[in-house]
Amino acid sequence: MQRVPIALGERSYEILIGTGLLADESAWAGLPQSAAALVVTNETVEPLYGAQLVRAIAAHHKAVHTVALPDGEAHKDWPTLNRIFDALLANACDRKTVLYALGGGVVGDMTGFAAACYMRGVPFVQVPTTLLAQVDSSVGGKTAINHPLGKNMIGAFYQPLRVVCDLATLATLPLREFAAGLAEVIKYGPIADMAFLEWIEANLAALVARDPQALAHAVRRSCEIKAEVVGQDEREAGLRAILNFGHTFGHAIESGLGYGEWLHGEAVGCGMVMGAELSKRLGLVDAAFVERLTALVAKAGLPTRGPALGADRYLDLMRVDKKAEGGEIRFVVVGPPGQASMRPAPDAMVRDVLAACCG
Ligand code: NAD
Ligand code: GLY
């Protein structure tokens, strides 16, 4: 088992990474004892891993309840969030109740938000079961639900007590979902570590084959980079925005097409190609960098061309991005490769990027 610390003062915690952690007592040791726990999962993941998690935490709680939400990004909304509160209240859960998020980023983001709100805050543990959740969404305390007008617009910063990444759970992940997770792994290269990008290029086949050593390295290095960034800027005053490379274009694709049409990771993969193209037009990277990133995104099985929503619609959608200020869209750009920053871009240039990258 590998441990990656997140240093956030009194909110510090560890990410545990290993194969078989759901059945490894040491991964659960030291978590709080309480009368009740609520495992929040979904209808797909519960039959796969629900019983294992309940067994792993049984000694910590007198009663372990489970709520299995409907599956999918389209259910990352108020009515589904309310089902978590219904389960907590129906079981008379008190403020020491521990919530466990068992699933992908949708379950993790909603469970974290519910934990932040219930009785003004109860402890929660992330047990991510998708590649995307293990390398990104379970780490760093961003929690949210979607609004029809904007992605992740209603939420809170709320850190978990621990993140337990059992790599064995990735064996059942459908290929399309695995590829979506690769988008967030690839992201860490251009923004922070070009040696890691090179490693991904060289080890893509091993990753797709879910080779345990390759997976362990990809998850650990991704978490290390995220931990480093979040440790410096927990609430995204500035630096943390680099983790959103590709997301401004990507979120527009997700909300523009309707949540769940493209997977989040697919939209991010394509959004990174657009972000690289914008970086090139701003003179920050050369054409070879754009081609290299585009080739890797394609090889990972992700789309590299955006849907033809129309430039006006893209611009409207991007103006509700959380990084926008006073209606001015601010993009994460790369340059030189391995470093990222945030800046506005002229609408005309963004239109040129959309024309070059969509349809
Ligand atoms: P997801 O949660 O929808 O999971 C993907 C699919 O895989 C679902 O159908 C799920 O039921 C299934 N699944 C999960 N684990 C499985 C397993 N082990 N075996 C078989 N099937 C399994 O999607 P995701 O890609 O994990 O997460 C995307 C979400 O994460 C988006 O809502 C995005 O906004 C959010 N996100 C949040 C952050 C953050 O910092 N909080 C960062 C990145 C993404
Ligand atoms: N996924 C972006 C962030 O955590 O800040």
Side-chain angles (χ1 to χ4, degrees), residues 28 30-34 60-61 96 98 100 123 125 161:
W28 309 94
L31 286 170
Q33 307 273 331
S34 69
H60 291 66
H61 313 285
K96 294 210 165 142
V98 183
Y100 292 84
V125 176
L161 295 178

Side-chain angles (χ1 to χ4, degrees), residues 3 11 45 64 111 119 126 166 225-226 259 275 277 333 345:
R3 293 170 185 268
R11 292 180 303 290
V45 178
V64 179
T111 308
M119 295 199 178
Q126 289 273 17
D166 186 341
I225 294 170
K226 183 150 187 185
Y259 299 117
E277 180 65 27
V333 289

Side-chain angles (χ1 to χ4, degrees), residues 85-287:
F85 299 129
D86 291 346
L88 287 163
L89 288 161
N91 290 296
C93 290
D94 61 24
R95 58 171 31 142
K96 294 210 165 142
T97 301
V98 183
L99 268 58
Y100 292 84
L102 176 69
V106 170
V107 162
D109 280 12
M110 284 202 292
T111 308
F113 189 33
C117 298
Y118 188 65
M119 295 199 178
R120 304 196 182 94
V122 293
F124 88 110
V125 176
Q126 289 273 17
V127 190
T129 63
T130 64
L131 179 61
L132 186 141
Q134 295 191 353
V135 300
D136 192 350
S137 64
S138 65
V139 173
K142 278 190 181 176
T143 75
I145 56 168
N146 298 327
H147 187 281
L149 296 180
K151 170 97 178 139
N152 291 337
M153 278 291 160
I154 322 290
F157 285 100
Y158 195 68
Q159 299 295 342
L161 295 178
R162 185 175 295 174
V163 180
V164 181
C165 298
D166 186 341
L167 302 171
T169 61
L170 301 181
T172 51
L173 197 62
L175 183 59
R176 185 178 168 200
E177 298 291 350
F178 189 84
L182 286 173
E184 301 279 17
V185 178
I186 292 169
K187 170 187 81 179
Y188 291 110
I191 64 165
D193 184 354
M194 288 301 282
F196 184 45
L197 191 82
E198 235 169 83
W199 181 89
I200 299 165
E201 288 168 330
N203 289 277
L204 194 62
L207 282 171
V208 174
R210 313 210 189 164
D211 171 75
Q213 280 182 346
L215 282 179
H217 180 73
V219 175
R220 182 178 56 77
R221 186 67 195 124
S222 300
C223 288
E224 282 171 352
I225 294 170
K226 183 150 187 185
E228 174 73 27
V229 173
V230 172
Q232 291 178 58
D233 180 18
E234 181 184 6
R235 296 176 75 93
E236 200 165 309
L239 175 72
R240 184 170 176 164
I242 67 169
L243 298 172
N244 270 322
F245 176 50
H247 286 57
T248 306
F249 291 107
H251 285 170
I253 293 173
E254 285 187 86
S255 51
L257 288 177
Y259 299 117
E261 185 64 30
W262 277 33
L263 300 180
H264 174 72
E266 291 171 339
V268 168
C270 182
M272 287 193 293
V273 171
M274 294 166 158
E277 180 65 27
L278 180 65
S279 307
K280 184 189 83 180
R281 285 167 194 260
L282 287 164
L284 298 167
V285 294
D286 60 16

